[in-house]
Amino acid sequence: MPELPEVETVCRGLKQAVENAVVRHVVTRRGDLRVPFPPDLEKRLAGRTLESIDRRAKYLQFHFSGGKVLLIHLGMSGRFLVEPSKPAAFGKHDHLVIELKDGRFLVFNDARRFGLAALTTEKKLPDHPLLHALGPEPFSKEFSADYLRKQLEARRGPVKPALMDQALVVGVGNIYASEALFQAGILPDRACRSVATESAAITRCIRKVLKAAIASGGSSLRDFLHITGYAGDFQHKFYVYGRAGKPCRVCKTPIQSSRQAGRTTFFCTSCQR
DNA sequence: CGGCAAACCTGCGAGC
DNA sequence: TGCTCGCAGGTTTGCC
């Protein structure tokens, strides 16, 4: 589910719903995800105030009183649910349950268990191993046409996997790499070096696509007042992703798909060169 | 070092 | 209806 727009949508939903809530009790129902939950998670968070929630790359950052920070990555299938009261039963994949003092329950659910939870402190956050090697945020000044041009000139392989490399720029995954390259009119298997001159268009299109997706995710969130998660409607606006064989929305040429670095890639051979 | 496939794990839809 | 197969929005590891 989650690339930057989805994580941002979840983040905004959680912010509105549970910022400043106080933790009464934490239960790890099943902690053996790809990266196991910290063993002392329950003790460390009990009684603390959830002072703020924000996002870095595809990580959610929960800032608790006393300088504790909970990092959550949603993996492929991670979701957050805010229940108004104790659910009659928890789901099979409700791995982390945070009971709030006001009676609500914050539940982290992840069917595929590719997600991750890590505990750290404000002090250690800047140099945290999970965040340390991450590239710039796509909406930051640092992610400039000049920066991208230099990065692309220094790389050998095709451009699409490069855009998905979180060390180059964060938040772009398989969907938005395909969509951004469509918008930029660049075929995904073009060599990085050969598209370096088009870095201005690429940065612009990445921002444009992510921004539009966030706008879609945010609007559907209104329909789910206390349930945040995958509820956006941007999937109906894809130009290429998941549209193999269907006519291009711009030129009617059938959309093609291929396999790049283990991921399916979608493109229009007429609109993209 | 860079780039790719495989692995991690479960669910779901397509096809038989 | 029920089975098997292939595939899924991410990241890490290990191999050329």
Side-chain angles (χ1 to χ4, degrees):
Chain A
M1 172 213 304
E3 297 182 36
L4 185 146
E6 291 73 37
V7 181
E8 180 63 26
T9 299
V10 171
C11 183
R12 291 180 185 184
L14 287 173
K15 226 174 152 61
Q16 194 173 18
V18 294
E19 222 167 55
N20 295 315
V22 178
V23 177
R24 177 181 285 158
H25 189 56
V26 178
V27 176
T28 297
R29 297 187 68 250
R30 179 167 185 180
D32 61 332
L33 307 207
R34 183 173 57 88
V35 176
F37 281 0
D40 51 357
L41 194 57
E42 308 184 352
K43 278 185 199 164
R44 289 282 153 81
L45 298 182
R48 293 182 193 268
T49 300
L50 179 46
E51 291 177 338
S52 67
I53 303 165
D54 54 26
R55 177 192 63 73
R56 166 71 176 123
K58 297 173 190 168
Y59 289 90
L60 290 164
Q61 304 182 136
F62 296 81
H63 302 268
F64 290 92
S65 53
K68 280 277 177 241
V69 181
L70 176 67
L71 292 176
I72 297 269
H73 195 293
L74 300 175
M76 293 277 250
S77 55
R79 294 157 190 232
F80 267 98
L81 296 162
V82 180
E83 305 283 0
S85 61
K86 186 171 185 173
F90 288 108
K92 190 176 168 184
H93 303 297
D94 291 341
H95 303 309
L96 183 67
V97 175
I98 300 177
E99 183 183 352
L100 302 172
K101 219 170 179 179
D102 60 23
R104 290 181 300 161
F105 281 71
L106 179 58
V107 180
F108 174 48
N109 176 293
D110 182 12
R112 292 180 70 182
R113 293 197 276 137
F114 285 3
L116 171 159
L119 212 46
T120 185
T121 62
E122 297 292 352
K123 207 175 169 183
K124 291 181 186 165
L125 197 56
D127 297 314
H128 195 279
L130 289 170
L131 311 178
H132 190 66
L134 292 173
E137 288 286 329
F139 294 111
S140 70
K141 272 187 182 173
E142 204 188 337
F143 185 60
S144 64
D146 198 45
Y147 164 84
L148 185 64
R149 180 178 51 75
K150 285 174 184 153
Q151 288 287 322
L152 292 173
E153 281 170 354
R155 283 174 187 251
R156 273 260 161 225
V159 63
K160 190 229 176 192
L163 297 184
M164 292 170 65
D165 183 347
Q166 303 298 296
L168 192 154
V169 61
V170 302
V172 179
N174 203 31
I175 292 173
Y176 299 107
S178 281
E179 293 296 319
L181 285 171
F182 174 85
Q183 294 289 338
I186 294 170
L187 287 169
D189 63 351
R190 288 269 302 280
C192 288
R193 294 182 63 177
S194 82
V195 300
T197 51
E198 294 170 72
S199 64
I202 298 171
T203 54
R204 194 181 343 110
C205 291
I206 286 174
R207 290 196 188 100
K208 180 182 162 190
V209 167
L210 294 179
K211 195 176 170 184
I214 291 169
S216 286
S219 64
S220 70
L221 221 139
R222 286 179 216 136
D223 306 327
F224 298 85
L225 285 177
H226 42 264
I227 300 172
T228 58
Y230 187 49
D233 61 357
F234 194 71
Q235 66 272 21
H236 304 303
K237 298 172 186 169
F238 291 161
Y239 280 88
V240 289
Y241 186 85
R243 300 195 65 248
K246 292 179 182 168
C248 173
R249 293 194 200 281
V250 174
C251 75
K252 310 296 181 206
T253 303
I255 299 299
Q256 308 272 312
S257 70
S258 70
R259 202 84 182 158
Q260 270 187 315
R263 313 299 295 273
T264 308
T265 298
F266 301 88
F267 52 93
C268 172
T269 52
S270 173
C271 293
Q272 293 167 263
R273 299 296 167 115

